[in-house]
Amino acid sequence: LSSMIADYLEKVGLGDYYELVIKHKLTGKLAPLVTDQDLKDMGIKIVGDRLRFRQVIKNFTRKARIAERQKVLWSGEERLYWGCYDWSYSTCCGCFPNDPSTYKLSTNLLKARVAEPGRIGPVKICCCYSYKTNNVDLTHVTDVDVHGVPPPFFERVCCCASGKDIIIVTYDRDKTLLMPLKAGLGDKVSAKIQNQIEEAQEMERE
């Protein structure tokens, strides 16, 4: 919106041109395209103000781009258990809860915070978790697949357990990120990721 640009100019000491920006409908998308001649045509005659104006617009655009990149478009967490029996067995009825991995999708990154339980030899223990953060650059993603996994027969019959949708993200040619989610979420989330991949790759080409 033009008012966002105008408000920003006012904060940095160029408030005299507030109405001018509104009048000429200078929005955040158009502001980076403004030339010195455009500013002259708008009626900004002072050379110093035109130079400051373009520098301020450059800073505004950079801050807006950073904010857009950090904006979380989707977040979710790993589905650990099939149902109540699986949960009771794995956590000793909740006495030793497990930490799920978490996922966040932003404009150009898919961030996975992977929880890894402590181990004594091959035996997993319910404490001493370590965490690894994996930032997947969406411009490097080559494929996104969804694999639906049904619950075990006993869990399905006795506990009405639901399955899992495992999203498989392939990036940097041979690396993969597995995201086990609740059944029914796979297609929706993978579509979000794929749409954002297309946007990120288009921005990269520009």
Side-chain angles (χ1 to χ4, degrees):
L1 296 175
S2 299
S3 58
M4 293 177 63
I5 298 288
D7 289 340
Y8 188 74
L9 289 173
E10 193 169 35
K11 289 179 182 178
V12 296
L14 291 173
D16 291 344
Y17 303 110
Y18 186 98
E19 295 299 332
L20 203 60
V21 170
I22 300 295
K23 177 183 176 182
H24 289 274
K25 299 179 181 179
L26 194 61
T27 64
K29 289 185 177 180
L30 297 177
L33 306 176
V34 170
T35 65
D36 190 64
Q37 185 59 49
D38 292 330
L39 297 178
K40 288 180 182 179
D41 294 340
M42 288 171 62
I44 303 177
K45 298 179 180 180
I46 302 173
V47 175
D49 281 358
R50 291 203 301 270
L51 293 174
R52 286 184 62 205
F53 195 106
R54 294 185 68 185
Q55 184 61 45
V56 165
I57 291 300
K58 184 178 179 180
N59 292 339
F60 175 85
T61 304
R62 182 167 59 249
K63 289 180 179 179
R65 189 182 298 118
I66 292 172
E68 184 65 23
R69 286 179 177 176
Q70 295 175 342
K71 181 180 178 182
V72 176
L73 305 175
W74 169 82
S75 62
E77 67 177 35
E78 175 187 12
R79 180 174 175 82
L80 293 173
Y81 314 111
W82 300 106
C84 57
Y85 175 80
D86 189 23
W87 172 82
S88 299
Y89 175 79
S90 299
T91 66
C92 295
C93 295
C95 294
F96 302 100
N98 295 317
D99 275 359
S101 299
T102 58
Y103 315 105
K104 289 184 180 180
L105 175 67
S106 61
T107 304
N108 63 337
L109 285 179
L110 177 58
K111 182 177 181 178
R113 182 175 181 266
V114 181
E116 298 179 341
R119 292 181 179 274
I120 299 177
V123 181
K124 183 178 73 172
I125 58 177
C126 300
C127 63
C128 304
Y129 273 80
S130 62
Y131 301 91
K132 179 178 67 176
T133 300
N134 190 359
N135 292 314
V136 178
D137 187 334
L138 294 180
T139 62
H140 295 171
V141 175
T142 55
D143 194 24
V144 179
D145 292 319
V146 181
H147 179 52
V149 182
F153 177 79
F154 176 81
E155 292 264 358
R156 186 167 66 250
V157 172
C158 298
C159 301
C160 299
S162 59
K164 299 179 183 180
D165 282 350
I166 301 178
I167 297 180
I168 307 168
V169 180
T170 305
Y171 63 101
D172 291 341
R173 296 185 179 181
D174 58 350
K175 297 180 180 178
T176 57
L177 172 65
L178 303 182
M179 301 167 53
L181 303 176
K182 183 179 179 180
L185 291 179
D187 289 338
K188 181 179 179 181
V189 174
S190 67
K192 283 180 179 288
I193 295 173
Q194 288 171 333
N195 288 339
Q196 205 53 44
I197 289 170
E198 292 177 4
E199 289 193 22
Q201 292 178 346
E202 184 176 345
M203 289 173 62
E204 182 78 5
R205 288 192 294 269
E206 293 176 353

